[in-house]
């Protein structure tokens, strides 16, 4: 139990670092767009490749925040049924949900391998930056692989019935 | 056995491609006695524009319309057909260019469409430069204009002319022109009506500058799995002849769009030969660099351009 | 099994597993993958799933989502929302239920810089519920006015739901934002009307407030100048065609940071918190969009929408009857489902039907947003109600359920108004674009 909680805090710190990178990507996305508008109106010369930089930043911010979202079980869940069932049954459903999450993440990871290798072998590039697309795929795969780890951890903690973080209410409808 | 081929297109249902696909589908059904029919998914229902080729290769769709410039780096030789102000000596109508590209496909382009069978290729009528204030009668008039563009070729070309390229989405073009955010845009005549450019644009420059290329491709193993009779019908109803006929449809749309612009009192300025030569000269280094880059990677860049522009 | 029936079967399974607490994004992805395997084969399902995740997360058009979320979070972290409430409170003092009216007005104004209803409700709860309690307001009434006011966040532009709708329906975001403005203001006025009626008919709910002088009122209007600058530079910039929505969102987030920093109201810690919350919120949204896109790829291939359309035609229903039916389906689903998922699942299915019966897709987008808003405040699953309760644990959820009931009249009234006068939504986009 002790080693599990140590692992938990190490992973937690690691995933927090990853989401820090996600936050940095969001800030860069904002600054690039602001700079682009400024350069366009003031100097009549927009920032080259700003669209593509935004796309790259968005990709990083989504895939690097994902491990923490999974680890903290922050996904949106419809928990209408909770009041109608015994706590044991709810826990059983939570385990099934954790299993399904891990399975779906693994399937996505496996599915992304082929297009990633194709992006490499075809030599796909981002139009204006001349930036190789396979690097972006690697970043996405890295984030997803960490999310798989996070989901497996959630699954194993569920089985050992450790109390989890309460799900956060952060989302934006 | 009866086969229904899933056809994917990222274009809207009122586009020329849709009409051509429907027409081809009816022909296939009649000539194979109902053995082969098409089920068309327009408007990117099966995937975004840059995934259309992957859809066919992975078998999500059996046939798809692909826009080569949507996946930069993947069709380097084919994209040379879109080099600015370079087209077959026979002319720059879509009928001529589409047919020529389809004829050259087996020799030069099949390798970069591996895993698929090219049914026919299509080259758009070249995009024209439309302006709101200046009539572009010489290359000097382009200098400093803020021009909406799409794609790297157009960006490099506009920079070679001394213009400032700005990315604006097609739907926002009319608005940006009328508010003076941009001074000019590149568009084929055919699309000017649906984006409401007529009342805003004052001058259009001819000839057109550069084209986009498309291919209609089919999954090779799906094709190989069809009966001999069906394969023969597909061979007969596709290829250079079909490409030429399809190009004609596109040219007709272009003529209609041109008439629409004239109705809206847009003046059409045709460059004199000496001015056209100045435009071409400004492009020479850009085009030469593009071809050299392909040659260096061991692909038949200059051989293809020579054959295409012959 | 024909593809259409397979589609129907998978859609029903989706609802079943959603109720069994499978996360929304997992349920959508899973059903999309399994559906594609059954309809085609494993390699097809894998090709769709693998590319969709990558393409969605690197789509330029969707970058507007995290940026608008950031703008709202920074505005709230630098207490811009508190200033709004303070000003509204003085200006509207003396009215029956003045604090509740001020809450709804300030929520509507805050909704003009924040794209999310849940975020608007969360912000306004922290600011106005303690004030209303101190003034002796009934808990159910004050909580309900925050819930109702907060729901304006997705109708008054910017709106994340409208950005997502635009992506699915291939519509222009500026046009949708223009269409939503007037209905948003009308709904705010309707909510205020409800609050006024409750406060004046049931005096126990809201003790009277001392009335401020004209001079005090005018002075109070000076405070929220930063908010007006921010709104004018962003949404105003979109309407004027100066910025694209993406640019407006980036400039809005940047401007909010700048204003907070200049006014010494934004600390490093609160900025870091705003960024963190924005990243998590948008990641949570993006995985749902990815799941829904995979699911929609399957549904389209089953031709289920065509089946529904031909079914409606063969029943000989009038267009208006079909629309009423669709609204009823939405209201029922909204009682149980969460909004973004609901939009992503249903719009690809319903939109062809709606357009097939001759309705304008822009008009329909506003109807969709209103039913989503209704879902946010409608018991039993009302995300805004939960958010308010989570932030104010001493507030009783049953009181909230009762308190919100009269406010539900307003969105229904607005839907009727939109049926009678489609121009409410369509007039502004027609003169602007
Ligand atoms: Na809003
Ligand atoms: Na609800």
């Amino acid at each position: 139990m002790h080693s599990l909680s140590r692992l938990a805090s190490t992973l937690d710190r690691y995933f927090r670092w990853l989401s820090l990178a996600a936050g940095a990507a969001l800030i860069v996305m904002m600054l690039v767009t602001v700079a682009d508008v400024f350069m366009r109106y003031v100097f009549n010369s927009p920032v080259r490749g700003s669209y593509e930089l935004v796309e790259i930043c968005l990709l990083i911010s989504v895939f690097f925040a994902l491990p923490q979202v999974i680890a903290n079980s922050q996904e949106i869940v419809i928990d209408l049924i909770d009041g109608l069932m015994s706590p044991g049954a709810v826990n059983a459903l939570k385990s099934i949900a954790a299993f399904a999450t891990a399975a779906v993440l693994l399937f996505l990871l496996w599915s992304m391998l082929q297009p990633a290798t194709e992006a490499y072998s075809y030599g796909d590039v981002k139009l204006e930056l001349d930036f190789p697309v396979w690097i972006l795929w690697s970043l996405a795969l890295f984030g997803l692989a960490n999310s798989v780890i996070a989901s497996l951890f959630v699954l194993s903690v569920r089985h050992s019935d450790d109390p989890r973080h309460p799900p956060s209410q952060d989302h934006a409808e | 056995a009866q086969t229904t081929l899933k056809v994917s297109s990222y274009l809207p249902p009122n586009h020329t491609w849709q009409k051509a696909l429907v027409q081809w589908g009816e022909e296939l059904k009649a000539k194979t006695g109902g053995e082969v029919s098409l089920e068309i998914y327009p408007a990117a229902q099966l995937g975004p524009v840059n995934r259309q080729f992957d859809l066919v290769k992975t078998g999500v769709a059996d046939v798809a319309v692909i826009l080569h410039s949507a996946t930069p780096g993947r069709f380097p030789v084919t994209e040379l057909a879109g080099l600015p102000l370079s087209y077959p000596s026979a002319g720059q109508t879509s009928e001529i260019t589409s047919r020529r590209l389809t004829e050259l496909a087996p020799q030069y382009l099949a390798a970069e469409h591996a895993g698929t069978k090219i049914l026919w290729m299509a080259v758009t009528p070249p995009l024209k430069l439309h302006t709101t204030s200046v009539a572009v009668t010489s290359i000097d008039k382009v200098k400093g204009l803020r021009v909406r563009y799409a794609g790297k070729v157009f960006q490099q070309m506009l920079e070679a002319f001394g213009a400032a390229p700005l990315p604006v989405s097609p739907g926002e073009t009319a608005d940006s022109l009328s508010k003076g955010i941009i001074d000019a845009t590149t568009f084929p005549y055919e699309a000017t009506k649906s984006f409401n450019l007529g009342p805003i644009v004052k001058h259009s420059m001819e000839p057109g500058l550069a084209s986009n290329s498309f291919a209609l491709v089919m999954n090779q193993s799906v094709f190989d799995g069809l009966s001999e009779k069906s394969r023969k019908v597909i061979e007969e109803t596709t290829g250079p002849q079909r490409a030429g006929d399809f190009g004609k449809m596109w040219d007709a749309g272009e003529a209609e769009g041109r008439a629409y612009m004239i109705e809206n009192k847009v003046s059409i300025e045709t460059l004199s030969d000496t001015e056209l030569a100045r435009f071409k000269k400004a492009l020479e280094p850009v085009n030469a660099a593009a071809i050299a880059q392909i040659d260096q990677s061991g692909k038949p860049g200059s051989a293809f351009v020579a054959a295409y522009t012959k | 099994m024909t593809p259409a029936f397979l589609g129907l079967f998978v859609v029903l399974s989706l609802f079943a597993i959603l109720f069994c607490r499978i996360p929304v994004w997992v349920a959508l992805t899973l059903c999309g993958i399994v559906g594609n395997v059954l309809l085609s084969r494993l390699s097809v399902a894998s090709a769709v799933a693998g590319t969709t995740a990558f393409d969605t997360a690197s789509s330029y058009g969707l970058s507007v989502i995290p940026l608008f979320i950031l703008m709202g979070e920074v505005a709230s972290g630098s207490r811009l929302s508190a200033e709004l409430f303070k000003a509204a409170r003085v200006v509207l003092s003396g009215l029956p239920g003045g604090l509740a009216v001020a809450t709804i007005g300030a929520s509507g104004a805050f909704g003009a810089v924040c794209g999310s209803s849940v975020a608007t409700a969360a912000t306004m709860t922290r600011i106005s519920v303690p004030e209303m309690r101190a003034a002796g307001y009934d808990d159910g009434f004050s909580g309900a006015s925050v819930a109702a006011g907060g729901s304006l966040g997705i109708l008054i532009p910017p709106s994340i739901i409208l950005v997502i709708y635009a992506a699915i329906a291939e519509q222009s975001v500026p046009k949708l934002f223009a269409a939503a403005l007037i209905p948003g203001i009308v709904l705010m006025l309707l909510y205020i009307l409800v609050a006024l009626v409750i406060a004046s008919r049931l005096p126990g709910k809201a003790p009277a407030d001392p009335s401020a002088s004209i001079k005090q009122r005018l002075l109070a209007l000076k405070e929220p100048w930063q908010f007006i600058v921010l709104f004018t530079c962003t949404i105003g910039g979109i309407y004027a065609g100066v910025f694209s929505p993406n640019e407006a969102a980036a400039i809005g987030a940047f401007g909010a940071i700048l204003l907070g920093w200049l006014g010494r109201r934004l600390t490093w810690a609160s900025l870091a918190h705003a960024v963190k919350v924005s990243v998590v919120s948008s990641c949570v949204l993006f995985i749902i969009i990815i799941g829904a896109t995979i699911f929609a790829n399957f549904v389209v291939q089953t031709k289920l929408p065509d089946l529904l359309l031909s079914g409606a035609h063969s029943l000989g229903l009038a267009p208006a009857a079909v629309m009423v039916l669709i609204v009823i389906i939405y209201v029922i689903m909204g009682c149980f489902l969460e909004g973004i998922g609901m939009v992503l699942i249903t719009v690809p299915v319903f939109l062809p039907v709606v357009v097939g019966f001759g309705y304008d897709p822009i008009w329909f987008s506003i109807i969709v947003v209103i039913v989503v808003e209704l879902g946010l405040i409608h018991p039993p699953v009302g995300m805004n109600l939960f958010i308010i309760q989570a932030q104010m644990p001493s507030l009783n959820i049953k009181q909230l359920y009762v308190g919100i009931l009269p406010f539900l009249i307003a969105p229904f009234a607005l839907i009727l108004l939109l049926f009678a006068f489609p121009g409410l939504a369509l007039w502004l986009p027609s003169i602007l674009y």
Side-chain angles (χ1 to χ4, degrees):
Chain A
M1 218 46 231
H2 180 68
S3 65
L4 193 63
S5 69
R6 250 219 336 249
L7 178 63
S9 74
T10 311
L11 275 179
D12 191 49
R13 223 171 318 133
Y14 171 56
F15 291 150
R16 221 166 331 138
W17 275 103
L18 291 183
S19 67
L20 218 60
L26 177 58
I27 294 289
V28 172
M29 190 198 306
M30 174 188 80
L31 293 177
V32 165
T33 310
V34 170
D36 183 42
V37 174
F38 181 80
M39 294 295 288
R40 190 174 81 209
Y41 277 105
V42 180
F43 297 105
N44 205 9
S45 84
V47 175
R48 171 174 291 242
S50 61
Y51 273 44
E52 293 171 357
L53 268 174
V54 166
E55 290 175 354
I56 294 169
C57 289
L58 182 63
L59 185 90
I60 294 173
S61 93
V62 172
F63 277 101
F64 278 48
L66 188 56
Q68 206 185 20
V69 166
I70 302 287
N72 293 349
S73 303
Q74 283 166 310
E75 308 114 300
I76 296 178
V77 171
I78 294 167
D79 50 9
L80 191 65
I81 207 165
D82 288 17
L84 309 172
M85 293 175 66
S86 68
V90 171
N91 261 328
L93 285 180
K94 282 185 185 173
S95 293
I96 295 173
F99 179 77
T101 306
V104 162
L105 283 167
L106 261 173
F107 186 84
L108 284 181
L109 183 67
W110 173 72
S111 298
M112 283 171 69
L113 290 175
Q114 192 182 348
T117 44
E118 276 176 3
Y120 181 77
S121 59
Y122 283 131
D124 287 354
V125 290
K126 281 277 178 190
L127 195 63
E128 289 181 4
L129 299 173
D130 243 335
F131 188 79
V133 174
W134 68 264
I135 296 181
L136 298 179
W137 278 97
S138 311
L139 291 171
L141 286 171
F142 176 75
L144 205 55
N146 280 299
S147 310
V148 170
I149 294 172
S151 70
L152 293 176
F153 187 72
V154 170
L155 193 60
S156 63
V157 168
R158 282 231 59 78
H159 275 289
S160 65
D161 259 335
D162 202 40
R164 299 282 314 140
H165 303 268
S168 147
Q169 305 282 357
D170 297 335
H171 48 73
E173 205 162 278
Chain B
Q2 289 196 333
T3 313
T4 304
L5 298 175
K6 268 187 194 166
V7 185
S8 169
S9 155
Y10 72 93
L11 293 150
N14 56 3
H15 194 270
T16 312
W17 263 114
Q18 181 78 6
K19 289 170 206 152
L21 290 171
V22 170
Q23 206 178 23
W24 181 52
E26 280 162 5
E27 225 174 286
L28 274 183
K29 200 167 181 179
K31 289 190 175 166
T32 57
E35 210 176 278
V36 177
S37 54
L38 303 184
E39 193 168 68
I40 306 169
Y41 293 88
Q45 285 177 344
L46 296 187
V49 54
N50 59 329
R51 290 287 164 217
Q52 296 298 319
F53 186 64
D54 293 337
L55 289 179
V56 174
K57 276 201 63 176
T58 53
V60 177
D62 302 308
V63 177
V65 178
I66 59 174
L67 169 68
H68 294 103
S69 60
T71 48
R74 193 168 287 205
F75 304 103
V77 181
T78 313
E79 279 198 66
L80 292 176
L83 282 183
L85 294 174
S86 66
Y87 24 75
S89 55
Q92 54 165 316
T93 62
S94 182
E95 182 186 359
I96 295 169
T97 51
S98 301
R99 173 184 265 280
R100 172 69 60 84
L101 195 64
T102 311
E103 285 165 355
L104 297 177
Q107 190 183 348
Y108 294 100
L109 312 176
E112 39 186 51
H113 294 75
T116 67
K117 176 179 173 55
I118 297 175
L119 299 173
W120 74 82
M121 313 281 281
V123 183
T124 62
L127 277 63
K128 317 294 188 289
L129 182 71
H130 310 281
T131 48
T132 49
S133 43
V134 221
V136 177
T137 47
S138 103
I139 191 165
D140 310 310
K141 298 270 175 73
V142 187
K143 203 158 283 172
L145 288 185
R146 288 165 300 175
V147 188
R148 180 254 170 195
Y149 77 103
K152 190 176 191 170
V153 170
F154 283 89
Q155 186 187 24
Q156 289 177 339
M157 173 179 73
L158 291 168
E159 278 172 355
F161 298 159
L166 287 181
V168 177
S169 78
E172 286 161 20
T173 304
D175 209 35
S176 302
L177 279 172
S178 66
K179 291 187 169 118
I181 295 171
I182 50 175
D183 312 303
T185 181
T186 51
F187 255 102
Y189 283 131
E190 161 250 330
T192 50
K193 190 170 183 181
S194 44
F195 291 111
N196 264 323
L197 296 186
I200 297 152
V201 165
K202 295 280 176 294
H203 311 276
S204 298
M205 187 189 99
E206 285 187 8
L209 292 166
S211 307
N212 281 314
S213 64
F214 293 85
L216 185 71
V217 298
M218 180 169 178
N219 183 296
Q220 185 70 51
S221 54
V222 169
F223 177 77
D224 295 339
L226 293 175
S227 73
E228 201 187 328
K229 179 182 157 202
S230 300
R231 289 204 304 267
K232 201 158 153 264
V233 171
I234 289 182
E235 295 276 13
E236 281 168 8
T237 54
T238 58
Q241 179 63 40
R242 184 110 214 168
D245 292 345
F246 178 66
K248 262 189 224 162
M249 289 169 79
W250 223 319
D251 290 331
E254 191 70 359
E256 252 173 61
R258 193 174 189 273
Y260 156 81
M261 292 298 259
I262 291 170
E263 259 169 53
N264 278 279
K265 310 222 162 35
V266 173
S267 75
I268 291 175
E269 321 282 348
T270 308
L271 290 179
S272 67
D273 286 347
T274 33
E275 274 306 323
L276 183 59
R278 287 182 71 201
F279 274 89
K280 280 188 174 165
K281 192 156 184 343
L283 286 171
E284 255 168 33
V286 181
N287 287 359
I291 298 169
Q293 199 195 346
I294 308 299
D295 284 342
Q296 266 162 23
S297 64
K299 291 179 181 124
S302 43
F304 166 73
V305 172
Y308 180 68
T309 54
K310 203 170 80 179
Chain C
M1 198 163 16
T2 67
F5 277 99
L6 176 67
L8 202 58
F9 173 74
V10 175
V11 168
L12 293 177
S13 313
L14 174 74
F15 286 122
I17 67 171
L18 277 174
F19 276 100
C20 293
R21 302 187 104 271
I22 305 281
V24 175
W25 85 273
V26 175
L28 285 164
T29 314
L30 195 63
C31 288
I33 292 169
V34 171
N36 268 333
V37 171
L38 294 177
L39 190 67
S40 314
R41 57 187 177 277
L42 183 65
S43 65
V44 165
S46 160
V48 171
T51 52
T52 301
F54 183 87
D55 292 341
T56 307
S58 57
S59 144
Y60 180 79
L62 294 178
S63 72
V64 65
I65 291 176
L67 290 170
F68 269 136
I69 294 179
L70 181 62
M71 173 174 161
E73 287 298 330
V74 173
S76 141
S78 55
R79 304 204 309 277
L80 200 58
S81 38
E83 297 223 332
L84 275 177
F85 178 70
K86 243 165 54 192
R89 170 178 197 170
V90 177
V91 173
L92 298 167
S93 63
L95 282 176
L99 285 181
V101 174
T103 301
I104 295 168
S107 302
F110 189 68
V113 296
C114 177
S116 135
S117 279
V118 173
T120 307
T123 304
M124 296 314 294
T125 309
R126 289 196 292 269
I127 295 159
S128 67
V129 170
E131 301 280 342
M132 286 193 270
R133 274 194 171 162
Y137 275 51
D138 170 69
D139 267 3
F141 177 55
S142 45
S145 53
V146 176
S151 76
L152 293 167
I154 45 166
L155 186 55
I156 294 178
S159 159
I160 284 166
I161 294 262
L162 284 177
V163 171
I164 291 173
Y165 182 96
I168 309 172
E170 298 185 307
Q171 294 290 326
S172 121
V173 173
K175 265 190 196 165
L176 295 185
F177 279 9
L181 188 63
I182 294 174
I185 293 170
V186 170
L187 185 58
M188 183 175 78
L189 296 175
L190 288 172
Y191 280 145
I192 288 178
L193 193 66
V194 172
L196 285 174
V197 169
I198 295 174
S200 52
R201 286 292 152 91
L202 307 165
K205 300 265 173 195
D209 217 20
S211 193
S213 70
I214 304 261
K215 194 177 162 207
Q216 281 170 316
R217 284 174 210 253
L218 286 176
L219 279 177
L221 273 177
K222 236 178 56 189
E223 282 301 309
W225 66 270
Q226 311 180 35
F227 157 80
I228 292 165
V229 168
L230 206 54
F231 175 76
T232 312
C233 291
T234 55
I235 306 303
I238 299 178
Y239 289 155
V242 185
F243 307 130
S244 71
N246 297 61
E247 293 164 355
I251 289 170
F254 185 73
I257 293 174
L258 207 66
L259 287 172
W261 183 68
L262 288 175
R264 296 171 191 282
R265 286 171 302 135
L266 186 68
T267 60
W268 283 111
S270 55
L271 176 60
H273 180 76
V275 172
K276 195 185 101 186
V277 172
S278 307
V279 164
V280 168
S281 307
S282 59
C283 178
V284 166
L285 279 181
F286 268 87
I287 50 181
I288 293 185
I289 299 173
I290 290 169
T293 311
I294 295 171
F295 184 70
N297 175 288
F298 160 72
V299 171
V300 159
Q301 294 184 62
T302 63
K303 304 267 172 193
L304 183 60
D306 297 4
L307 183 77
L308 291 182
L309 188 59
S310 63
H313 273 300
S314 66
L315 285 176
L317 290 178
V322 173
M323 274 311 303
V324 170
L325 203 62
I326 287 178
V327 170
I328 291 173
I329 293 173
Y330 267 119
V331 171
I332 294 171
M333 287 203 323
C335 290
F336 303 103
L337 285 180
E338 156 283 333
I340 302 255
M342 184 168 92
V343 168
L344 284 162
I345 301 166
T346 54
V347 168
V349 179
F350 285 154
L351 187 63
V353 179
V354 169
V355 173
F357 275 100
Y359 285 95
D360 191 308
I362 292 181
W363 175 84
F364 183 58
S365 76
I366 305 305
I367 297 283
V368 168
V369 172
I370 297 169
V371 291
V372 168
E373 281 198 62
L374 198 58
L376 285 171
I377 57 174
H378 197 299
V381 180
M383 210 54 99
N384 276 13
L385 304 178
F386 294 164
I387 286 291
I388 293 164
Q389 215 262 330
Q391 300 215 341
M392 292 271 151
S394 55
L395 206 74
N396 186 326
I397 192 85
K398 284 205 191 90
Q399 278 180 294
L400 262 180
Y401 279 179
V402 176
I404 199 68
L405 290 178
F407 285 95
L408 298 179
I409 298 168
F412 279 116
L414 180 58
I415 291 175
L416 286 180
L417 281 174
L418 278 165
F419 269 95
F421 312 104
L424 277 178
L426 297 175
W427 176 72
L428 195 58
S430 76
I431 60 157
L432 279 176
Y433 301 101

